[in-house]
Amino acid sequence: MRKGALLLIGISVLMICVTIGCKDKKPEVVPVDSVAVVDSIVEEVVEDTVPEDALDSLISSTPMPKAADELFDDFLFNFTANKKLQYDRVKFPLKVIEGDQESFTEKKDWKIEKFFMKQEFFTLILDDESQLALSKDTTVDNVIIEKINLKEKSVEQHIFNREDGLWMLTSINRNTVYQNPNKSFLNFYEKFASDSLYQIESMNDPVNTILPDPDDDFTMIEGDFHPDQWPEFCPMELPSEYIYNVIYGQTYSQANQKLFVIRGISNGLEVEMTFKNKGGNWKLTKIIY
């Protein structure tokens, strides 16, 4: 799931095939200090020489920094890595709503939730670029992590609230894609992610592109590419079975535009893809690496 090789090819093709412009913009990587804390613990252990249970015990014995409750991302990385912390931060008995049915999960029946950590990236569905700043907003007190099963058309929402300064998982809501405010885009994306020919058909002509300048870390280069060039510019194998959407309090009111962001976990990956619904057909109009 790395974009390196394809990105280098894409940059070369862009410089040959399109007119290039420069912008004084440095690629922004969201800082997550808690990831460094967890990574430093793991690095102290010789890889493949310590049983997994012992490693879990080591991580669980390391208290989460108090500052991690300021930003949800910082909290979440600790929540998924630290079993003891996860049990402490789930509001048991946990309310589970499925359609019009309500049940409760007891602590003894809880299974540790890792969310998207094993795939090393997660996704965001936004109305526009202004909503990107929400992940850094320390005043956000409600966050929802959606696990979206594209094949089964199901959505499982884990709802977190900050109570007395502490993030807590307070409930789970299970529903279908058809009840989701992004249903039109999600139905489109399922086919887009799994069908390479459909991807090309779903390109605007041209697609605006912004890439890091390979010769200058502090600037970006901008240009356009045409649909038949998409294989060279596709950033990675797009997630096609499950995606995780993190809702940092954003509301969805723009039905004809979606910003689909693929954001890496402590690896610098960030791809922003803008789609617009034109006459009932979603088209990729812009991509920023």
Side-chain angles (χ1 to χ4, degrees):
M1 292 294 185
R2 305 288 182 174
K3 67 174 184 179
L6 284 176
L7 182 55
L8 288 175
I9 295 173
I11 291 173
S12 300
V13 174
L14 183 66
M15 295 180 71
I16 294 171
C17 298
V18 303
T19 301
I20 300 299
C22 291
K23 289 189 175 182
D24 292 327
K25 176 182 176 185
K26 185 176 181 179
E28 183 175 298
V29 178
V30 177
V32 184
D33 294 336
S34 295
V35 179
V37 173
V38 174
D39 286 348
S40 66
I41 295 170
V42 175
E43 287 171 2
E44 292 176 1
V45 181
V46 179
E47 190 173 352
D48 297 329
T49 61
V50 178
E52 184 176 350
D53 289 344
L55 183 57
D56 287 342
S57 178
L58 176 63
I59 295 174
S60 296
S61 66
T62 304
M64 184 180 78
K66 291 182 179 180
D69 271 308
E70 290 293 315
L71 283 175
F72 179 78
D73 283 2
D74 289 359
F75 157 75
L76 183 64
F77 289 116
N78 284 275
F79 180 85
T80 55
N82 189 325
K83 289 183 179 180
K84 180 180 183 301
L85 175 69
Q86 186 164 144
Y87 277 105
D88 289 342
R89 295 298 186 92
V90 177
K91 199 168 186 177
F92 293 114
L94 183 66
K95 182 188 294 186
V96 180
I97 301 172
E98 190 164 359
D100 57 358
Q101 301 295 315
E102 185 176 292
S103 61
F104 292 87
T105 298
E106 301 292 339
K107 186 173 183 178
K108 63 181 178 62
D109 298 318
W110 179 251
K111 295 181 180 179
I112 295 298
E113 179 61 72
K114 296 290 188 180
F115 295 115
F116 41 75
M117 293 302 169
K118 291 185 178 180
Q119 66 183 25
E120 298 186 347
F121 67 92
F122 63 99
T123 54
L124 301 171
I125 301 174
L126 308 169
D127 274 358
D128 53 57
E129 291 186 357
S130 68
Q131 295 181 337
L132 283 168
L134 289 171
S135 64
K136 299 179 183 178
D137 188 346
T138 58
T139 66
V140 170
D141 289 326
N142 172 265
V143 174
I144 299 173
I145 299 178
E146 292 185 321
K147 181 179 181 179
I148 302 170
N149 187 320
L150 295 167
K151 302 299 182 184
E152 296 183 3
K153 306 289 188 182
S154 65
V155 181
E156 183 173 87
Q157 296 182 324
H158 286 71
I159 300 168
F160 292 84
N161 290 285
R162 187 155 48 184
E163 301 180 349
D164 297 324
L166 303 178
W167 282 105
M168 301 287 296
L169 174 60
T170 57
S171 63
I172 293 175
N173 185 19
R174 298 189 180 113
N175 222 315
T176 69
V177 165
Y178 303 106
Q179 278 74 48
N180 194 278
N182 294 313
K183 61 182 178 181
S184 173
F185 177 74
L186 290 172
N187 285 328
F188 156 77
Y189 177 79
E190 177 197 356
K191 186 175 181 180
F192 181 83
S194 58
D195 187 332
S196 59
L197 293 179
Y198 185 67
Q199 288 176 12
I200 294 174
E201 293 174 8
S202 301
M203 299 287 113
N204 194 57
D205 193 5
V207 178
N208 181 242
T209 312
I210 300 176
L211 300 157
D213 187 337
D215 299 319
D216 187 345
D217 291 339
F218 294 92
T219 61
M220 306 289 281
I221 54 178
E222 181 174 2
D224 297 319
F225 70 84
H226 299 287
D228 60 355
Q229 295 174 284
W230 172 243
E232 285 78 35
F233 285 90
C234 185
M236 57 189 291
E237 182 181 347
L238 298 173
S240 60
E241 185 174 356
Y242 291 95
I243 60 173
Y244 288 88
N245 178 38
V246 184
I247 303 175
Y248 297 96
Q250 67 261 29
T251 57
Y252 297 107
S253 58
Q254 174 61 267
N256 295 321
Q257 176 176 290
K258 294 299 171 189
L259 183 65
F260 187 75
V261 181
I262 302 172
R263 180 170 289 174
I265 302 171
S266 195
N267 60 17
L269 171 66
E270 179 110 355
V271 181
E272 301 172 17
M273 306 168 71
T274 300
F275 294 86
K276 292 186 177 181
N277 193 322
K278 299 185 174 184
N281 298 311
W282 287 96
K283 297 288 186 179
L284 176 66
T285 60
K286 183 177 182 179
I287 184 167
I288 303 175
Y289 295 90

